[in-house]
Each structure stands twice: as structure tokens, then as C-alpha cells.
Amino acid sequence: MCAAIYIVSTVTGYVLTSALLLKCPTLLHRRKRERFLSKHISHRGGAGENLENTMAAFKHAVDLGTDMLELDCHLTKDEQVVVSHDGNLKRLCGINANISDLTYAELPPYLCKLGVTFQRECFCEGGEDKRIPLLRDVFDAFPNTPVNIDIKVNNDTLIKKVSELVVKYDREDLTVWGNSRNHIVKKCYKENPHIPVLFSFPRVLHLLGLFYTGLLPFMPLKEQFLEIPMPSLLTNLLMRKALFQHLTARGIQVYIWVLNDEEDFQRAFDLGATGVMTDFPTRLKEFMDRNGISKPQ
């Protein structure tokens, strides 16, 4: 009888403490400093409105007032950090060659028309800008715009060079980096712990486990950004207002990607997501303006 009372009282105490800390996490954790806030995020610069990951796409998004540019990085044979989603150039340029096997000068231009990955039966036709840019070109052109960098390959030199560029351009407070693979995120954090990192996919699974067992409020988190893909098998588990509120109260921003229609925009913001990542920055801006969703200060 005494043992049963002890177990019940212990479990009750755990549940009540977990619920309290879920609601008020700063009782235990210091809130992370939010170096910037991003509600409007342009995926690959806005792949539905300009050729993805081009300077034209980035300029268009920045001119619209996007809060963040999302892009992808690879390393050329002559160790130049370039902005490209694919490591192989077949889809982008029509040539079956790897970026890592070519010097920057040897990289071909983009095709005139590219499919939009996250929009079915949608293609984007480009203008004059078909060049694969260097990461430093983006930093030069948009010194005050936050950039979300996906390190596409497990390459120590790539990680080191991206970090060096971020430091050179004084962008540690304007950059977040990472990858879905945990070993890449660990290397990023080890190379430069001053640049905020994203949750990797294994860490997202870990986060889910902590949340549904009530352990999350007790656990420290080094990441400052959670990106949730939609649609995915994990979406219904992750799309929880209580989870979003807890993370944002700890200074961790929650982004939903890649959303391209107004119904999904509305759902994401209703649930308390910090920001939405889209291929159509004009569409998202018009939605935000029409619904009074203000830009972060």
C-alpha cells in the first residue's frame, strides 16, 4: 500500500512539474538569444518565381522584403563554395557531372526551365541569370539578410570554408546552418559553435520522444532552429501548438517547409510557427499583408 502511494505521488509530481515547465520553460532554462526572427523565408530564393539558388532569385526575394534566404552549398574541385541544391548537374544543367569534379570556371549555366521540386507539375522559366553563384556573392550582395545554409555533403573542407566565409563577412548573428544528417550538424557545431544550428532528423526524432514522454521541459537543447517538412509522416506528430509554444518560449524558432498555398500558410501560423518557408515569396507576402501578419522587428 505504501509503495503504491509512493509511486502515485511520484508520478503525479513528475506530471505536474513537467506540465509547469512545458508552459514556463524559463523557470529552468535560460532563453536563447534570438539573433533574428524570420516569418517569411524564401526557399532556394523562391524556386517558383525564379530559377532556384540564383542571384536573380535572391534579389527578387530580398526586394520583396523576405526575412531569410534559404540556400544549399557544395564545394567545387578548386574548393570554391557554390550555391546549388544538387551535387550532380544533370537536373539543373543537363550535364551528368558532379560539382566536386569541376572547377568553378568549368560549371555550366542552368537550363532555361527547371521543375519546382515541391509544387507538382510546376516549372519555372528563368531570365538572363543562369549562373551558379558563389556563397560569397550572396554575402556581398545581401549583407543584412539572414541566410539559412544547408550543408549538402559531409565534407570537412566545405564546412570549414563556409564557417570562414561567415566569420569574414561578420555574419555569425545572421546565419543558421546544418543538415538533416546528424553527423554533419555535429561537425558544423564543432567547427563554429557561434553559428546557430538546425535540428538534424535524428534530433527531431529525439525531440519527439522527449515531448511525448514529458521529458522535454527538463532537457537542454543546443539547437536554435527547428524545420518541419510538410507533408511528411512526422508532420501530424510535430504539428502541436504546445510544442511550438514551448520551443519559442525557449528562444527556438520553428519553421515549416515547403508551403506553397494559403491554406498551409494559415495552418502553420495558427499553430504558432515562427515562420514559413516557400517557393513563392510573392504569394506568401501577399498572404501575410492581407492577414495582418507583421514582419519581425
Side-chain angles (χ1 to χ4, degrees):
M1 183 67 178
C2 291
I5 293 174
Y6 174 77
I7 292 172
V8 169
S9 62
T10 300
V11 171
T12 302
Y14 166 74
V15 171
L16 292 175
T17 304
S18 177
L20 174 64
L21 292 176
L22 184 71
K23 188 73 173 177
C24 307
T26 53
L27 292 174
L28 181 61
H29 305 283
R30 178 180 296 178
R31 183 184 174 96
K32 297 178 184 292
R33 181 169 68 91
E34 293 168 319
R35 309 172 192 212
F36 52 83
L37 282 171
S38 301
K39 291 187 177 181
H40 183 293
I41 306 161
S42 298
H43 180 245
R44 305 182 197 173
E49 297 180 10
N50 286 274
L51 293 182
E52 65 183 62
N53 281 326
T54 58
M55 293 300 292
F58 299 138
K59 184 179 186 305
H60 173 67
V62 171
D63 287 347
L64 277 173
T66 194
D67 300 317
M68 173 185 279
L69 298 172
E70 188 275 344
L71 52 80
D72 314 274
C73 283
H74 285 273
L75 198 67
T76 62
K77 186 177 180 180
D78 54 343
E79 297 190 343
Q80 298 294 307
V81 180
V82 296
V83 179
S84 173
H85 180 271
D86 298 4
N88 185 277
L89 296 169
K90 181 66 175 177
R91 178 182 71 91
L92 298 172
C93 305
I95 295 173
N96 188 20
N98 295 324
I99 288 176
S100 59
D101 295 330
L102 302 175
T103 66
Y104 183 65
E106 294 171 334
L107 293 180
Y110 279 129
L111 296 171
C112 296
K113 182 176 172 182
L114 294 177
V116 180
T117 307
F118 292 93
Q119 189 76 13
R120 288 184 179 180
E121 300 180 1
C122 180
F123 294 86
C124 181
E125 295 190 21
E128 294 182 2
D129 184 12
K130 299 181 181 66
R131 182 175 65 94
I132 297 176
L134 294 163
L135 181 60
R136 70 166 181 258
D137 294 338
V138 180
F139 287 173
D140 270 325
F142 314 108
N144 300 314
T145 303
V147 174
N148 179 327
I149 301 175
D150 190 345
I151 303 293
K152 298 305 291 185
V153 291
N154 182 20
N155 184 309
D156 292 352
T157 303
L158 172 61
I159 292 169
K160 181 177 179 60
K161 285 188 171 291
V162 170
S163 175
E164 288 173 349
L165 284 168
V166 170
V167 172
K168 177 182 177 180
Y169 285 87
D170 193 23
R171 292 187 55 93
E172 287 177 317
D173 285 347
L174 285 172
T175 304
V176 54
W177 63 344
N179 184 267
S180 61
R181 289 170 285 180
N182 200 42
H183 55 279
I184 294 180
V185 176
K186 284 182 176 180
K187 286 184 176 182
C188 289
Y189 189 77
K190 183 178 180 180
E191 179 65 35
N192 190 336
H194 301 296
I195 307 174
V197 294
L198 299 157
F199 280 86
S200 65
F201 182 71
R203 286 285 292 167
V204 170
L205 296 179
H206 182 64
L207 182 74
L208 273 176
L210 293 175
F211 176 66
Y212 281 102
T213 57
L215 288 169
L216 179 59
F218 303 100
M219 303 300 291
L221 299 169
K222 71 175 184 294
E223 297 89 349
Q224 282 188 248
F225 297 85
L226 172 64
E227 292 183 351
I228 301 174
M230 184 177 172
S232 74
L233 294 176
L234 291 177
T235 298
N236 290 333
L237 292 174
L238 285 164
M239 298 285 272
R240 293 290 181 267
K241 196 165 190 174
L243 174 60
F244 289 7
Q245 290 175 336
H246 176 80
L247 293 174
T248 54
R250 292 175 66 167
I252 298 171
Q253 297 186 48
V254 180
Y255 302 148
I256 315 296
W257 66 279
V258 171
L259 308 186
N260 289 327
D261 65 67
E262 295 197 357
E263 182 180 343
D264 287 338
F265 297 163
Q266 189 69 60
R267 182 185 178 204
F269 285 121
D270 284 347
L271 284 170
T274 311
V276 165
M277 190 181 299
T278 185
D279 289 317
F280 297 90
T282 302
R283 190 180 298 173
L284 177 57
K285 181 182 186 302
E286 291 173 349
F287 170 84
M288 292 174 64
D289 290 345
R290 194 166 56 250
N291 289 273
I293 300 173
S294 60
K295 286 177 61 64
Q297 301 299 313

